[in-house]
């Protein structure tokens, strides 16, 4: 259980008592990855839960034609692989590192279950996390059904810069680690449509973007 102490330094796991895990700090281990490396593949055993401690990780799957479809992109403090707690036996997706110097802390399913057994408050937090993930998926489905593509990409940009970026008043700036194809997969459209709409929003003065960053001049005016 040498990895447990590291979770206390992440907001999601602030309910951990530092003293309880102090004995693990000297023996902690977490793995560092290079950009492009896979943490696990589809059909691998679902025997661990992971925490991003630095960098970015994307969850994806491949179609029968071999096309990559990105499901989500996670950054520091976010957990993945948690469906193992709900009985997932094998992975239904892949986890791939997006940026160099990405670090991931790993807990076995047995370690996580023991923690949840020992700490009811922690268990409730984990189930709340899973519930929020399901709620987010439901909202994504509603968006795909009921909202036009421009609205979907605007909502995506707002969520992305708020979750991943830095705020200065009504301005937001976030590191950009997504291709137009990645964004298209996440909002359910084509790469060409994403490129067109991003250029429209930039020409309107509402956003600016490059391969390295996304900038929103006024989050309240992004519509």
């Amino acid at each position: 259980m040498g990895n447990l102490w590291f979770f206390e330094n992440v907001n999601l796991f602030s309910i951990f008592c530092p003293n309880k895990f102090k004995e693990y700090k000297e023996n902690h281990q977490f793995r560092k990855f290079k950009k492009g490396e896979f943490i696990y593949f589809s059909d691998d055993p679902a025997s661990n839960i992971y925490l991003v401690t630095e960098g970015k990780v994307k969850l994806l799957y491949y179609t029968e034609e071999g096309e990559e479809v990105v499901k989500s992109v996670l950054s520091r403090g976010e957990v993945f692989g948690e469906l193992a707690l709900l009985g997932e036996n094998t992975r239904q997706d892949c986890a791939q590192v997006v940026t160099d110097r990405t670090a991931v802390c790993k807990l076995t399913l047995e370690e996580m279950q023991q923690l949840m057994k020992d700490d009811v408050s922690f268990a409730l937090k984990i189930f709340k996390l899973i519930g929020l993930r399901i709620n987010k998926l439901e909202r994504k489905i509603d968006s795909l059904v009921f909202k036009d593509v421009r609205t979907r990409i605007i909502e995506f940009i707002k969520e992305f810069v708020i979750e991943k970026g830095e705020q200065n008043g009504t301005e937001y700036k976030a590191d950009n680690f997504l291709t137009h194809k990645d964004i298209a997969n996440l909002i359910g459209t084509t790469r060409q449509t994403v490129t067109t709409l991003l250029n429209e929003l930039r020409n309107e003065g509402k956003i600016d973007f490059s391969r390295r960053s996304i900038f929103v001049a006024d989050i309240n005016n992004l519509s």
Side-chain angles (χ1 to χ4, degrees):
M1 297 178 70
N3 295 330
L4 302 185
W5 75 272
F6 199 83
F7 284 78
E8 76 187 51
N9 296 325
V10 181
N11 290 337
L12 182 63
F13 294 92
S14 59
I15 60 169
F16 277 159
C17 170
N19 293 328
K20 182 176 180 181
F21 299 103
K22 185 179 296 183
E23 65 269 25
Y24 300 117
K25 292 187 177 182
E26 294 181 0
N27 299 315
H28 78 274
Q29 295 179 358
F30 52 95
R31 184 177 172 187
K32 295 184 178 180
F33 294 86
K34 295 181 180 179
K35 180 179 179 180
E37 286 190 87
F38 282 86
I39 298 169
Y40 61 73
F41 293 94
S42 177
D43 295 327
D44 279 354
S47 54
N48 299 295
I49 293 89
Y50 302 87
L51 172 74
V52 183
T53 60
E54 200 67 41
K56 305 287 188 298
V57 174
K58 66 180 177 181
L59 304 182
L60 58 102
Y61 66 91
Y62 293 95
T63 66
E64 292 183 357
E65 293 74 28
E67 183 178 3
E68 178 184 300
V69 178
V70 178
K71 295 170 57 179
S72 61
V73 180
L74 309 175
S75 55
R76 177 178 171 82
E78 295 190 90
V79 175
F80 61 102
E82 75 281 356
L83 290 182
L85 293 167
L86 300 183
E88 181 183 64
N89 293 317
T90 58
R91 300 299 183 192
Q92 303 302 307
D93 54 22
C94 305
Q96 186 180 27
V97 172
V98 177
T99 58
D100 281 328
R101 297 183 298 278
T102 290
V104 173
C105 188
K106 179 176 71 174
L107 282 179
T108 67
L109 180 59
E110 291 74 18
E111 287 173 335
M112 182 66 84
Q113 289 173 333
Q114 187 61 50
L115 285 173
M116 294 172 70
K117 180 180 178 181
D118 293 342
D119 191 329
V120 175
S121 177
F122 173 66
L124 291 174
K125 289 283 187 179
I126 291 297
F127 285 124
K128 181 178 180 180
L129 167 69
I130 295 172
L132 289 172
R133 290 275 173 85
I134 294 173
N135 181 261
K136 190 172 184 178
L137 177 60
E138 290 175 345
R139 286 190 286 111
K140 181 177 180 179
I141 293 172
D142 286 343
S143 179
L144 290 172
V145 174
F146 297 112
K147 297 179 180 179
D148 59 51
V149 180
R150 180 182 169 97
T151 301
R152 296 205 301 271
I153 197 168
I154 286 172
E155 290 184 348
F156 170 81
I157 292 171
K158 285 182 177 180
E159 184 175 278
F160 183 83
V161 296
I162 290 172
E163 287 186 358
K164 314 291 186 184
E166 296 181 356
Q167 179 183 6
N168 181 15
T170 59
E171 294 181 355
Y172 282 85
K173 184 177 182 180
D175 292 338
N176 180 27
F177 44 84
L178 298 173
T179 66
H180 290 190
K181 179 61 176 176
D182 290 337
I183 297 174
N185 288 336
L186 290 167
I187 67 172
T189 188
T190 65
R191 181 186 60 79
Q192 293 87 346
T193 299
V194 167
T195 300
T196 298
L197 288 172
L198 288 176
N199 285 329
E200 284 182 4
L201 291 168
R202 179 161 60 183
N203 292 336
E204 293 169 10
K206 296 181 176 180
I207 70 168
D208 197 8
F209 64 89
S210 67
R211 291 183 178 180
R212 295 186 176 182
S213 65
I214 298 177
F215 173 76
V216 176
D218 184 350
I219 199 74
N220 299 321
N221 192 41
L222 182 54
S223 61

